[in-house]
Amino acid sequence: MTAPDAGRGIGTGTGYTGAYGDGASGDSSFRILHVSTGNVCRSPITERLTRHALADRLGDPLWGGLIVESAGTWGHEGAPMEANAEAVLADFGADASGFVGRELLDEHVIRADLVLTATRDHRAQVISMGHSAGLRTFTLKEFTRLVRAIDPTTLPPLDDGMVERARALVRAAAALRGWLLAPTAEADEVYDPYGAPLPFFRSVGDEINQALDPVVTALTGAPARA
């Protein structure tokens, strides 16, 4: 069994929020939940890189109603992210401050409009929790593959609000899942760097960043700045 990346989501209750929409949980938001094992390596990196990419495209504070969080299936409540994970975020100019780990709970899955996991095992664990999570839970790389196949002109325009666009993106990805399979099982995995040296963390960070790019572009309708 892979060692847990020691911690759980953002834990502070602060999200990446903005102005539009009606989230699945009934609030005016769309919640993206990143899940890994310990919530100190992969999911914190993914959470903070997602926030950084959204800010890059939209500018602060025009965040469009999106809330980005993370948690761990073996999360260690209150734990900081790993130092190497912080170093990776610094490489991208992303903010690692204020992170507090948390354990994945039912309430996190219930509130999430989109759950992106590091591995297929994490995806299975989230779905096994119930809460009709199957149609909104993907591995990160799986979701990226499906998003690449979606014609952005079929999504609601941003004038309708980013929350509506995000919901439509999830529905479209779920509809494609049975038709667009991974070339190999490993293609949908982001492997655990817990305990590895910084170069391996950096390779994982690059992998996550590349997977996030088309997702954030589809959400915002804007490519990354050169």
Side-chain angles (χ1 to χ4, degrees):
M1 182 178 294
T2 303
D5 33 340
R8 322 172 187 180
I10 60 173
T12 61
T14 57
Y16 195 79
T17 60
Y20 302 106
D22 241 17
S25 57
D27 58 12
S28 299
S29 62
F30 182 93
R31 290 179 179 268
I32 302 172
L33 176 67
H34 294 296
V35 175
S36 63
T37 304
N39 190 219
V40 292
C41 297
R42 288 168 291 180
S43 50
I45 290 172
T46 314
E47 172 198 314
R48 294 307 175 94
L49 286 181
T50 303
R51 295 187 186 190
H52 182 67
L54 288 168
D56 176 69
R57 278 134 169 110
L58 301 176
D60 185 356
L62 301 177
W63 298 337
L66 303 183
I67 297 174
V68 184
E69 304 173 302
S70 64
T73 56
W74 283 8
H76 297 174
E77 197 73 34
M81 74 174 75
E82 286 286 295
N84 281 347
E86 290 190 4
V88 167
L89 292 173
D91 290 342
F92 287 99
D95 183 12
S97 65
F99 181 85
V100 180
R102 65 182 183 177
E103 182 178 1
L104 180 67
L105 302 176
D106 289 280
E107 66 190 68
H108 304 143
V109 177
I110 290 168
R111 293 189 305 171
D113 297 281
L114 172 62
V115 184
L116 297 177
T117 69
T119 69
R120 291 167 296 148
D121 283 346
H122 297 131
R123 181 184 64 194
Q125 289 180 66
V126 171
I127 293 172
S128 74
M129 295 171 72
H131 315 302
S132 303
L135 291 178
R136 51 194 166 92
T137 303
F138 309 79
T139 75
L140 171 62
K141 287 187 172 181
E142 174 191 21
F143 194 66
T144 300
R145 183 176 68 254
L146 298 172
V147 164
R148 287 184 184 277
I150 296 168
D151 181 353
T153 64
T154 65
L155 299 174
L158 289 174
D159 287 347
D160 291 349
M162 193 168 297
V163 168
E164 291 304 317
R165 185 179 177 93
R167 288 176 181 167
L169 185 67
V170 173
R171 289 194 299 267
L176 283 174
R177 179 149 44 189
W179 299 92
L180 194 61
L181 302 179
T184 65
E186 291 72 23
D188 282 344
E189 306 281 288
V190 176
Y191 290 108
D192 194 353
Y194 183 75
L198 181 57
F200 187 71
F201 267 82
R202 284 182 166 142
S203 70
V204 169
D206 287 339
E207 192 177 349
I208 290 170
N209 191 60
Q210 289 174 23
L212 284 173
D213 180 71
V215 173
V216 177
T217 297
L219 284 170
T220 63
R225 298 183 201 180

